Amino acid sequence: MNKGTLGVLRVAVIAFAAAVGTLVAGLVLGGAVAEKIIPGLGDAGVVTRWGLPVSRLLMDLCAAVTVGALLAAAVLLPITGGRAATLSDDAVTYLRAGSWVAAAWATAAAGTLIFTVADVLGEPVGQVVTGSELSSYVGQLPQGTALMLVVLLAVVVALLARTAATPGAALGLLAMAVVALLPPPLTGHAASAANHSVAVTGVALHVAAVVPWVGGLGLLVVHALTGRGKLEVMADRFSRMALWCYITVGASGLVNVIARLPDPAELLSTDYGRLALGKIAFFVVLGWFGWWHRERTLPAVAARKPLAFTRLAGVEVAVMAATMGLAVALARTAPPAPATEESRIKALTGYEMPPEITPGRLASMWTFDFFFAVLVVVLGGLYVAGLIRLRRRGDAWSMGRTVSWFIGLLTIVAVTETGVARYAQVLFSVHMVQHMVLSMLSPIFLVMGAPVTLALRAFKPAKVRGDRGPREWLTVALHSKVTAFIAHPAVATVIFVASTFTLYFTSLFEGAMRNHLGHIAMSIHFLLSGTLFFWVLIGVDPAPKKLPYPGRILLLFVTMPFHAFFGLALMNLGQPLAQAWYTAVNPPWGTSVIKDQHTGGAIAWGFGEIPTFIVLVVLAFQWYFDDQRQAKRLDRKADRAAAAEAQHEDDELAAYNARLAKLAEKNDQSRKG
């Protein structure tokens, strides 16, 4: 065993000891492992009380290392080979290591699943394993389903990482691993918090930012201790990513604490609050580590002096592991119960029943949807950042495109952050307004903003020749077979039209309304399917296949009647859609559920005229200006041809005159001779 391997082993042992130590301390101080005897309820026993948090910690640590290995292979290490991009030897090594760790991740998740079932049922783990409880309750418990998804996804990552050898495959495995992180935390305390819509989004962002941050640093330490090359490139890339991870972790963590502890005094008066304060303290310490790295150790790494980095980063990894141990203990500690009993409507929607609907309340009853707030801020911020980079470079950008982009973002805000979002939970008619705006109005303005073109112009090419930075990855995505398939006009149209009927006329709609994550997925689907369709019709950005303008107009007139048919189908409903949901949340001041859904059908039927008119106007202008450009191009071609012909004639005349001059000169010489 060489010196580098010993160093890696030493850091791993210290980090694991720190994680286990803080886990034990948190469980004891928070009272999560204290024996609770409640008459009439079973006790899972001491093995489950300790085994569940330990297996959960192992699952989280393996997940972080897996994501870190895939991140190092796909993003942090430079790619070689130019057009035929290939992974470096080190990247392939990390992929193979990630395969083994992903297998350990799946094993730890399976152990967590067994302990979770034992904990929920209040039965000893031995009885759960040998009996039929495990198979019976896995599909019925949300936590069991979530952990089963983790096991399946981790196994897929482990198998595919054994043979993956291309940058695209590595990036796909990284995306799959990040998705596998989300199910467990989303079925924990977040789903039952007082403001679960905010808490669910907050915890998802928190986990998605923490794991790449921790895993990426861990693999960076391994890379440095084993003396592999390109450390300065990896450290620079990780530093930029870590800053955004730190900001996201801080913002989402603050939102999570507020959602669970609305009274600041509970930070000191409750076990949950005191553990949360400990986690905040670790977060501040990690911020200092990040600042010191940017100021001191990164310049040392650039100067080929990695020793200072490995020492500090090794300690930082231990602090991160300790924070993860404390986070597991916090997840096992029950947050304080609400001071007042939660109403049935608030338990279902996250909000109290709104008062009778009026236009003023739709506009002024602001509702904080954390997911869409973050989405709009990120999209707007990235667009502004692209504009600033172009301006600094002296490049121009159309004001019309900028205005269009921000109008699109404003329409998203108008239906997700106002009273529309709150009333959409209890009234199908208002939900249909939200649906129509997200799928048929916002996308028109967003695609006219040409965000992909702006990104291609704003992103800088990769510093290392043949490597892939954001610009190169975006170009690869635009030219991929997947993009060519889904952006085909026929496919985009089917997705846009058929998904609406499939959603509303099956049980999917009620499931999406009952679950906040399902509601977010439904809204995002509306936005993405509409963006895809209108990108094909009027998009300014480059696309795999561009229809001629007559074909676009024909496609528009063929598609829009389907939305009218959808509206007519709703207007003629005999039984309400999602009847159990709308019966449970039906407001006392509202009309009947079926009548409200008929109103929603009328809105769907009539709303289609608005986007149709806007798209026709846009197509008319695009067609006109395209004809103007074509005419100018043909005029320039004709002018060049005429100039070339004139030049050719001038050349022939000059040659003829030159021959005459030579003949005259010869005649003069012969007469003189």
Side-chain angles (χ1 to χ4, degrees):
M1 189 176 293
N2 57 35
K3 184 178 180 181
T5 305
L6 285 173
V8 171
L9 184 61
R10 182 166 54 249
V11 170
V13 170
I14 293 173
F16 183 74
V20 173
T22 54
L23 172 65
V24 172
L27 291 173
V28 173
L29 294 176
V33 292
E35 184 178 1
K36 302 179 182 65
I37 301 176
I38 302 176
L41 295 180
D43 181 20
V46 65
V47 175
T48 298
R49 280 198 296 274
W50 285 100
L52 178 56
V54 170
S55 64
R56 179 62 184 268
L57 176 62
L58 290 173
M59 182 180 75
D60 291 348
L61 291 175
C62 290
V65 177
T66 301
V67 171
L70 298 175
L71 183 71
V75 178
L76 300 182
L77 279 167
I79 296 169
T80 60
R83 288 187 176 182
T86 57
L87 295 173
S88 64
D89 292 339
D90 289 339
V92 173
T93 299
Y94 290 140
L95 270 181
R96 303 298 179 260
S99 172
W100 288 106
V101 182
W105 180 13
T107 304
T112 305
L113 173 60
I114 295 172
F115 284 119
T116 298
V117 174
D119 184 60
V120 172
L121 298 181
E123 297 180 356
V125 65
Q127 183 176 337
V128 170
V129 173
T130 57
S132 61
E133 289 86 354
L134 187 61
S135 59
S136 300
Y137 283 89
V138 164
Q140 300 179 28
L141 296 174
Q143 301 95 327
T145 304
L147 289 167
M148 182 56 67
L149 287 174
V150 175
V151 173
L152 294 176
L153 290 173
V155 168
V156 171
V157 170
L159 293 176
L160 295 182
R162 296 297 302 167
T163 57
T166 63
L171 192 64
L173 289 174
L174 174 61
M176 186 181 297
V178 171
V179 170
L181 299 172
L182 301 179
L186 295 181
T187 54
H189 291 159
S192 58
N195 192 350
H196 58 268
S197 63
V198 174
V200 164
T201 306
V203 76
L205 289 174
H206 196 75
V207 171
V210 164
V211 173
W213 181 25
V214 175
L217 182 65
L219 264 291
L220 203 60
V221 172
V222 171
H223 197 84
L225 288 173
T226 53
R228 299 177 185 271
K230 305 295 183 181
L231 177 62
E232 64 280 0
V233 176
M234 294 181 67
D236 178 66
R237 292 180 177 181
F238 174 78
S239 177
R240 284 178 284 170
M241 184 199 75
L243 176 61
W244 291 107
C245 287
Y246 186 81
I247 294 172
T248 304
V249 168
S252 59
L254 180 62
V255 168
N256 291 334
V257 170
I258 294 174
R260 293 172 175 80
L261 303 173
D263 184 2
E266 291 177 330
L267 283 170
L268 298 174
S269 61
T270 63
D271 293 333
Y272 189 92
R274 287 187 286 269
L275 291 180
L277 278 178
K279 192 176 175 183
I280 292 172
F282 278 129
F283 177 76
V284 173
V285 172
L286 291 173
W288 176 85
F289 274 111
W291 172 82
W292 189 271
H293 277 308
R294 295 177 73 89
E295 295 294 322
R296 301 293 180 87
T297 60
L298 287 182
V301 170
R304 304 301 176 94
K305 299 176 180 178
L307 186 60
F309 169 78
T310 55
R311 288 175 177 173
L312 186 65
V315 178
E316 186 180 4
V317 167
V319 175
M320 284 182 168
T323 307
M324 294 182 71
L326 187 59
V328 173
L330 190 65
R332 291 292 298 161
T333 305
T340 59
E341 187 176 353
E342 191 175 62
S343 67
R344 179 175 56 87
I345 294 297
K346 189 173 183 180
L348 290 173
T349 67
Y351 308 105
E352 295 293 350
M353 176 65 74
E356 187 172 357
I357 187 170
T358 64
R361 286 169 179 158
L362 283 172
S364 61
M365 191 179 289
W366 289 90
T367 303
F368 181 62
D369 189 304
F370 188 36
F371 178 84
F372 282 101
V374 171
L375 179 68
V376 169
V377 169
V378 169
L379 292 178
L382 290 175
Y383 202 92
V384 170
L387 293 176
I388 292 174
R389 178 166 288 184
L390 289 186
R391 181 176 292 273
R392 287 177 177 174
R393 206 165 59 200
D395 292 344
W397 184 256
S398 169
M399 179 58 69
R401 293 180 180 179
T402 303
V403 172
S404 178
W405 177 259
F406 284 99
I407 289 176
L409 295 182
L410 186 62
T411 60
I412 296 175
V413 172
V415 295
T416 60
E417 307 293 332
T418 63
V420 173
R422 186 169 298 192
Y423 284 98
Q425 296 272 28
V426 298
L427 291 176
F428 181 82
S429 55
V430 181
H431 164 81
M432 189 53 59
V433 171
Q434 188 183 53
H435 172 183
M436 292 293 111
V437 171
L438 289 176
S439 66
M440 300 179 69
L441 191 62
S442 301
I444 294 175
F445 294 101
L446 293 178
V447 298
M448 291 300 295
V452 176
T453 303
L454 176 63
L456 289 172
R457 292 180 59 183
F459 282 138
K460 297 178 181 178
K463 294 180 180 179
V464 181
R465 185 174 180 84
D467 194 12
R468 285 183 183 175
R471 190 176 190 276
E472 288 75 19
W473 278 115
L474 182 57
T475 303
V476 169
L478 286 173
H479 292 88
S480 69
K481 294 181 179 179
V482 175
T483 303
F485 175 75
I486 64 172
H488 190 280
V491 176
T493 302
V494 169
I495 293 173
F496 184 58
V497 173
S499 60
T500 301
F501 288 89
T502 303
L503 172 68
Y504 284 99
F505 294 108
T506 65
S507 60
L508 290 174
F509 178 56
E510 183 165 358
M513 294 300 295
R514 288 187 173 277
N515 185 281
H516 182 66
L517 287 178
H519 194 271
I520 289 177
M522 177 173 60
S523 300
I524 287 297
H525 171 75
F526 293 154
L527 189 62
L528 291 180
S529 62
T531 301
L532 176 64
F533 177 71
F534 289 109
W535 177 33
V536 172
L537 277 184
I538 58 173
V540 182
D541 290 324
K545 183 176 180 61
K546 287 285 189 181
L547 282 175
Y549 285 99
R552 300 185 193 188
I553 295 175
L554 178 62
L555 181 62
L556 176 66
F557 282 113
V558 168
T559 303
M560 288 308 168
F562 284 100
H563 280 275
F565 297 153
F566 169 70
L568 290 173
L570 293 178
M571 293 168 65
N572 290 280
L573 283 174
Q575 292 292 327
L577 301 177
Q579 185 171 2
W581 170 261
Y582 282 107
T583 301
V585 300
N586 189 35
W589 42 260
T591 182
S592 65
V593 173
I594 190 66
K595 188 175 180 181
D596 178 63
Q597 294 194 356
H598 288 167
T599 303
I603 291 171
W605 178 73
F607 194 93
E609 304 297 329
I610 299 173
T612 301
F613 175 75
I614 295 174
V615 171
L616 281 176
V617 171
V618 171
L619 282 174
F621 277 99
Q622 288 182 339
W623 198 349
Y624 171 77
F625 287 117
D626 186 64
D627 282 346
Q628 293 294 310
R629 287 192 296 269
Q630 292 286 352
K632 290 180 180 179
R633 188 179 300 114
L634 292 175
D635 288 343
R636 288 194 298 268
K637 185 177 180 180
D639 291 341
R640 287 195 298 269
E645 185 177 354
Q647 181 67 33
H648 181 66
E649 291 177 353
D650 290 343
D651 291 343
E652 287 184 346
L653 181 60
Y656 179 70
N657 290 333
R659 286 197 299 271
L660 291 178
K662 287 182 179 180
L663 288 174
E665 184 179 355
K666 289 181 178 179
N667 290 335
D668 291 340
Q669 289 178 355
S670 62
R671 283 196 298 267
K672 289 178 181 180

